[in-house]
Structure formats: C-alpha cells, structure tokens
Amino acid sequence: MPYYRRVGDVPRKRHIRFERPGGGLHSEELMGVEGFSADSALLYHRQPPTAIVKAEAVDEAPAAVEVTANRPLLPRHLRTHALPSGGDMVTGRRLLLANDDVRLLIAAPAAGPAEPKPSELYRNAAGDELVYVESGTATLESVYGRLAVGPGDYVVIPTSTTHRWVPAPSGGEPLRALVLEARGHIRPPRRYLSPAGQFLEQAPYCERDLRAPAEPLLVDDGETPVLVRTRDGLTRYTYRHHPFDVVGWDGCLYPYAFNIADFEPIVGRLHQPPPVHQAFDGPNFVVCSFVPRLFDFHPEAVPVPYNHANVDSDEVLFYVGGDFMSRAGSGIGLGSISLHPAGFIHGPQPGSIEAAIGKAGTEEVAVMVDTFRPLGLGAAAREAEDPEYAWTWARGLDR
Ligand SMILES: [Fe+2]
C-alpha cells in the first residue's frame, strides 16, 4: 500500500529493453522496501541514477541532533508558533522531540520580503517522512513527479525518495509543518486493509482520498547536489546528471498526500477510544487524527475524554484547528504541542467536564503521535516550552 499506480512511459514488460528516442537505453531503478520482499516501484531514468562525482560529509549543529531526557518527568506544552521561522523545509527543521524510532521537528521556512527558498534535493535513507502541513502551500517535487500540498495535508515520503520542497510564492499564509522522521516505514494501519491491500469499508479513509504524482517531472541539468540522511548523519552527493530524469514509473511505492479533512470520524453513544482516530502506523508509533465530529450521543454521555494513563506510550498532540474546549485554562492554543508522557496521568482541565455536558459537537482538529518508547526533548522544545503547564490541573482545587 498505497495501491498500484502507473505514470508516464513504461515498457510493456519489466526488465526488457526500453529505448531512448535519441539512442541508447533508459536506466531502470527498482526501489523496493524490506529487501525487495514488499512494496516497490520501478522507475525509468534517462541517465544512470548511479553516477556520482563527489561525496562530502555534512556536519550538523548540536541543536539539530541532541536530545535530553524528560527529567524530572513532566507533561510539557510547547508553543511552536513562538519558534522563529528560518531556513528551508529540510535544513531549517527544528528538533522538538525524539527517540530511536522517530524524530518530531517543526519546519517553518523563512518568509517575509524574500521569497521562501526551495530546499535542495534531499532524500532520507533512514526511514519514511510524514509531513503534516499546518499552513501554507507548496509543491513536493520528486523523482515520481510533482505533488501539490496545502493546509491539513499529511504527506508521506517513502525512504530514499529523492525530492525537494518548493514553497508557494510568498503572499499567502507562511508554510509551517510538523515533520516526523521515522526509522522505518509509515503505512495505513493493517486492520484497515484487506489481505490484498484494499481499504476496507470500516476504514476512516480510502484510496479515493489519496493524491499522488500524476505526470513525470523532467529537468535537463548537469551536475546536481543531493543531501542524503542516514542513521549516521548527512552526506552530500554530487550527481553527474539531475536525478529528475524519470520518464515513467509504476508500482505501489511513491509519495502521496491525504488531507485530514478527508478523515471520516467514527463516533458512538459513549466515548470512543483513541484507536478509532488512527490514521497511520509507524515503527513503534502511531499517528491519529482528531477532526470535527458529533459528540457522544447517549443522553447522559460525558463528551470530553476521561482521565487516562498511557501505560505504554508517550502522547504528543499538535493542536491545529478549533478551540480545544477540554483544555481551557491550560494555555493550549493553535500551534501548541502537548507531551503527556507514560508515567503521568492526564485528562481534561478542571471544570471542562461540567462545561461540556449537553454540547453537540466539536470543531477541534489535532494530530496525535503516540510513541511506544519515551521521547527526549530537543533544543527547540526547551526554547518553546511553557513552564507553567505541568501545574495547570491543580489550579483552583481546594488544598
Ligand atoms: Fe491523552
């Protein structure tokens, strides 16, 4: 998954001669995950995708990689809008939270009088990336073609996809995104899929909700740098020819976008547990979508969540739309990220249960990431933290 797709020119059978118009053969590239035992795509380049002429190690600043333990163990509130914009969609990322399975970063390319800069060509060889676009519009250009993305889009970029981000010209909302850099693959949950990979009727989204490149993207250019992320850091290759020379491809492995507004919420008479909101599965983490929905309709239902202990996970919520009634008094607002770690019991703010009784629905939109191993704090988390958050549940209670 996602399902089979074919773009541009591909020959009648795989691995047969495919001649270029000016003479010579196209070069095949098979991108296959899990040792070619799972999804793959077969791409046809005009030039060999193997021809590098230079390789350099690229150092990263300590703030881009270092995390410290969440000690003393505290719930955290990070005001991501307080972080300054800067850089591009790849090298300008600010590290918030991380463990050995996933890194969570904020990307807010520099805006203002200068046009926002496209990123250089990039590929993450350590795992898939999931980019949630909070605001602004951009084009994801890749060896698979162009994909236009905008607010509310989840963009899944498979491991080792050579791509770059091109923000729309300034004038509209600035481009801001939450980026998940996984150490593995990000997929729709298995329980949503048939054995052959089709979305089942009970899934909250399906194939028609996914968007992917529709035409080849061909760039005639000479030597071109590509920044490559591995588990050991960054390397910059220089290729003899521009990697965007793919005349066609087919397969089940490609970047795609899915808008959170197309996630169809599952509701019930009483409060539904968090797994009904799940959108993606990653290595030792899940991603859930909280979207506008009718509240629980039992006549005596309590519409806001019950207090809960995430016994086996750290819970991250990114608040991106609506008014977050259950968090009134906590300081949480648009652009906030809360971290409720395993070992801390959390729930609605005092008074919000009573205030919610009789309400018909919610307009709130939030993206949740639950990691099964503890998250450490990056430099940007320390910079954006609201130090009063941990004590807000106790405010107003009798001593
Ligand atoms: Fe929670």
Side-chain angles (χ1 to χ4, degrees):
M1 242 301 302
Y3 54 102
Y4 177 81
R5 194 171 180 89
R6 176 174 167 159
V7 168
D9 295 329
V10 301
R12 185 179 62 82
K13 286 180 73 68
R14 55 192 175 185
H15 316 316
I16 62 173
R17 283 200 309 262
F18 181 27
E19 281 162 13
R20 293 186 306 200
L25 298 178
H26 287 95
S27 287
E28 284 187 316
E29 177 195 357
L30 182 65
M31 276 187 66
V33 302
E34 297 176 13
F36 305 101
S37 301
D39 296 342
S40 67
L42 188 51
L43 302 95
Y44 292 88
H45 292 264
R46 284 175 171 165
Q47 302 286 346
T50 47
I52 54 172
V53 297
K54 194 170 162 190
E56 312 160 86
V58 177
D59 293 330
E60 292 183 272
V65 291
E66 288 177 2
V67 293
T68 54
N70 184 2
R71 282 190 78 231
L73 184 76
L74 284 176
R76 309 278 177 168
H77 169 201
L78 316 177
R79 292 186 164 120
T80 68
H81 287 184
L83 294 170
S85 59
D88 64 42
M89 273 289 284
V90 174
T91 59
R93 293 174 185 176
R94 305 290 310 278
L95 182 62
L96 291 174
L97 303 165
N99 62 22
D100 288 342
D101 303 311
V102 62
R103 303 191 332 141
L104 284 76
L105 310 97
I106 289 289
E115 292 297 308
K117 271 195 332 185
S119 67
E120 72 177 289
L121 292 186
Y122 166 69
R123 67 169 170 265
N124 186 337
D128 293 357
E129 294 194 351
L130 175 68
V131 177
Y132 178 80
V133 181
E134 181 192 0
S135 66
T137 56
T139 302
L140 177 77
E141 295 184 350
S142 74
V143 287
Y144 294 91
R146 287 192 178 89
L147 180 59
V149 302
D153 276 341
Y154 290 107
V155 189
V156 179
I157 306 169
T159 308
S160 273
T161 298
T162 304
H163 67 278
R164 71 169 189 158
W165 287 93
V166 184
S170 52
E173 283 286 298
L175 186 60
R176 298 185 63 90
L178 175 69
V179 180
L180 273 60
E181 296 176 355
R183 291 289 178 90
H185 302 303
I186 297 171
R187 300 178 165 115
R190 292 268 184 224
R191 68 179 187 280
Y192 291 173
L193 304 175
S194 76
Q198 183 181 5
F199 280 96
L200 298 170
E201 277 293 313
Q202 65 262 35
Y205 63 99
C206 76
E207 290 84 353
R208 296 188 197 183
D209 300 316
L210 308 183
R211 293 148 29 223
E215 293 174 3
L217 169 58
L218 293 162
V219 176
D220 280 320
D221 210 346
E223 293 191 352
T224 306
V226 177
L227 193 64
V228 180
R229 177 172 292 286
T230 67
R231 290 188 177 222
D232 295 321
L234 294 171
T235 292
R236 183 175 285 113
Y237 281 146
T238 302
Y239 278 87
R240 178 68 191 85
H241 298 283
H242 199 293
F244 291 173
D245 67 345
V246 173
V247 299
W249 60 269
D250 74 339
C252 292
L253 183 69
Y254 48 84
Y256 63 95
F258 160 55
N259 196 278
I260 198 167
D262 288 322
F263 187 94
E264 299 302 332
I266 294 166
V267 299
R269 254 166 62 94
L270 293 174
H271 205 75
Q272 296 294 296
V276 302
H277 303 284
Q278 191 179 352
F280 298 101
D281 232 349
N284 285 327
F285 70 87
V286 298
V287 178
C288 297
S289 299
F290 290 89
V291 297
R293 60 194 181 280
L294 295 177
F295 274 143
D296 322 320
F297 47 89
H298 185 287
E300 295 171 80
V302 176
V304 295
Y306 29 79
N307 297 318
H308 48 287
N310 300 345
V311 173
D312 293 316
S313 57
D314 277 17
E315 176 189 311
V316 176
L317 262 172
F318 182 35
Y319 302 83
V320 293
D323 62 0
F324 316 114
M325 180 180 65
S326 70
R327 311 309 318 281
S330 67
I332 296 282
L334 289 176
S336 289
I337 281 182
S338 61
L339 166 64
H340 297 144
F344 168 73
I345 301 161
H346 69 278
Q349 246 59 34
S352 60
I353 291 177
E354 293 78 1
I357 303 290
K359 293 260 168 46
T362 175
E363 292 302 310
E364 71 186 25
V365 184
V367 173
M368 185 170 82
V369 183
D370 271 14
T371 66
F372 303 149
R373 290 198 272 191
L375 289 161
L377 305 172
R382 302 281 185 195
E383 189 180 331
E385 184 171 11
D386 166 11
E388 293 303 312
Y389 179 64
W391 326 117
T392 55
W393 286 272
R395 274 191 202 141
L397 297 182
D398 293 337
R399 289 185 182 271

